[in-house]
Amino acid sequence: MNVEIDITHGFDGLTLRVEAEVKGGLTAVFGPSGAGKTTVLNIVAGLIRPDAGRVCVNGRVLVDTGAGVFLPPAKRRVAVVFQEARLFPHLSVERNLLYGAKSRDGLADMVDLLGLGALMTRAPGTLSGGEAQRVALGRALLSDPELLLMDEPLSALDRARKQELMPYFERLRDEARLPILYVSHDVEEVAQLADQVMLLRGGQMQALGPVAQVFAGEGMAPEISRDMAAAVLEVSIAGYDARDGLTELRLGGTPLWLPGQAGELGHRLRLRIDARDVMLSETEPQGISALNILPVTVREVRAGPGSGALVALDHDGHRLMARITKRSVRRLGLEPGKRLFAVLKTMAVAARG
């Protein structure tokens, strides 16, 4: 199943231009405020009529301005989850879930997927923000959509409630087999959840590709990539050192160490390593506190408009990024092919199953 978007639309003094073909999984529509992210979702949902263009879901035309086609929202089989849960306050959780559903088929599976069993008789006013968003998500999925749109669903929640919801969003991404367009401006959310990223800036689509590729800035100008440059790596848990309280991870055959117990043996994790948290050394550092030191090879050096530069690195086929000063680039004599050691200062971790 895929989504084709080819639209042009004027908004807030900008012209939005997006041409993309999105496959299954979760695609993050990512970028700063005013980039046009929510406008894209509203056009796909049928809440806005584009100036020109075409939108198709699995070959079914939702919008074609040239042919005069514009399906109303109710006929699109597109479900939307907004920033606010928008539950009906006079209905129980169960009745909210079934509102718009054709039958009760699938209710039990949805309740299990989203952990709603203990909430079914509750009123929306008694739910936490995270619980309410899970109910809103369940209601959207029970409408049997072909496409799910999520517009900053975590932005109204505090950090604790966001972390409460993340495992459910991950299960949805992995188990629902439904294409999802997920609007966000939060780098950590996108790195944790997205299979691919559509990057918008100033109404223009700058990149569309796998999350690791886009965060590494491939094919992007330095002034764009420096704001979000990072490595996104898939690793597995190899063990736990109870004496030192460290989890051992494996990046291919290389061990990495994380504080605390990150999960069970064999579980997969996704690491986000910000380019600003990577130091480079010509020799293997000795006598330092950092535990994670990787041999790397320079792939590319990109000078930024200010004092900084981005260095693309390779470790046994895994892409890393480092953001350092131009002076450091000169002092280290960095150029493609040069061998170095990368010191990883911090790593953000997300479960992957």
Side-chain angles (χ1 to χ4, degrees):
M1 185 173 293
N2 67 305
V3 183
E4 301 172 41
I5 305 171
D6 184 357
I7 52 176
T8 301
H9 186 70
F11 74 106
D12 295 337
L14 295 174
T15 299
L16 174 69
R17 291 190 179 91
V18 173
E19 183 176 353
E21 184 172 348
V22 178
K23 302 297 184 181
L26 190 148
T27 298
V29 185
F30 177 71
S33 297
K37 305 184 298 296
T38 295
T39 301
V40 171
L41 253 66
N42 285 338
I43 288 173
V44 175
L47 303 177
I48 293 177
R49 189 185 295 263
D51 293 340
R54 177 182 167 91
V55 177
C56 296
V57 176
N58 202 27
R60 190 164 60 92
V61 179
L62 307 185
V63 179
D64 188 337
T65 56
V69 175
F70 186 82
L71 286 186
K75 294 186 177 181
R76 295 195 174 203
R77 293 192 63 192
V78 172
V80 186
V81 176
F82 298 96
Q83 294 179 23
E84 306 82 21
R86 302 189 183 187
L87 302 179
F88 298 108
H90 61 293
L91 300 180
S92 67
V93 165
E94 181 173 3
R95 292 177 66 192
N96 265 284
L97 287 170
L98 291 171
Y99 187 89
K102 296 177 181 178
S103 71
R104 297 179 67 90
D105 293 347
L107 178 62
D109 289 341
M110 190 59 58
V111 168
D112 179 64
L113 176 69
L114 297 175
L116 300 174
L119 308 178
M120 297 295 278
T121 61
R122 301 247 311 259
T126 68
L127 303 178
S128 70
E131 290 170 339
Q133 279 293 59
R134 277 189 278 151
V135 176
L137 180 55
R139 181 177 63 185
L141 293 171
L142 285 169
S143 69
D144 191 29
E146 288 186 336
L147 172 67
L148 177 64
L149 309 179
M150 304 180 76
D151 188 7
E152 306 242 26
L154 300 178
S155 64
L157 304 178
D158 60 31
R159 184 172 182 82
R161 299 289 80 75
K162 286 183 180 181
Q163 291 307 310
E164 169 193 314
L165 273 175
M166 279 295 194
Y168 297 105
F169 283 12
E170 289 170 339
R171 287 189 66 187
L172 172 67
R173 174 199 62 206
D174 297 337
E175 299 178 20
R177 303 186 184 280
L178 183 73
I180 303 167
L181 291 181
Y182 184 101
V183 164
S184 179
H185 65 274
D186 187 291
V187 171
E188 291 187 12
E189 271 181 47
V190 172
Q192 181 167 345
L193 292 174
D195 295 303
Q196 58 182 346
V197 177
M198 180 192 300
L199 176 65
L200 300 181
R201 182 179 290 264
Q204 309 297 307
M205 191 176 80
Q206 305 289 343
L208 173 67
V211 60
Q213 175 182 313
V214 174
F215 271 53
E218 293 185 9
M220 296 157 56
E223 63 267 26
I224 295 170
S225 59
R226 74 169 190 270
D227 296 332
M228 54 182 284
V232 179
L233 305 173
E234 301 282 347
V235 299
S236 61
I237 296 179
Y240 177 66
D241 186 330
R243 177 182 177 182
D244 292 331
L246 296 171
T247 295
E248 181 183 357
L249 308 175
R250 287 284 168 176
L251 179 65
T254 305
L256 294 174
W257 298 94
L258 281 177
Q261 189 163 4
E264 300 297 323
L265 184 68
H267 281 199
R268 295 167 58 224
L269 299 175
R270 178 181 281 188
L271 300 181
R272 183 179 65 85
I273 306 171
D274 195 297
R276 292 167 293 191
D277 291 327
V278 177
M279 296 177 60
L280 299 178
S281 174
E282 289 188 292
T283 59
E284 185 170 6
Q286 303 291 328
I288 64 173
S289 61
L291 296 175
N292 297 311
I293 302 171
L294 301 177
V296 295
T297 302
V298 176
R299 291 184 54 171
E300 183 184 359
V301 179
R302 310 176 198 159
S307 62
L310 281 172
V311 184
L313 306 162
D314 178 84
H315 169 74
D316 290 339
H318 299 281
R319 170 66 69 92
L320 295 172
M321 300 292 292
R323 186 178 180 189
I324 61 177
T325 64
K326 292 177 181 176
R327 178 174 294 182
S328 294
V329 170
R330 292 195 304 273
R331 288 179 59 188
L332 293 172
L334 298 189
E335 60 183 20
K338 185 177 179 69
R339 296 181 180 275
L340 299 164
F341 290 89
V343 180
L344 314 183
K345 294 187 287 184
T346 62
M347 295 183 286
V349 183
R352 281 291 287 175

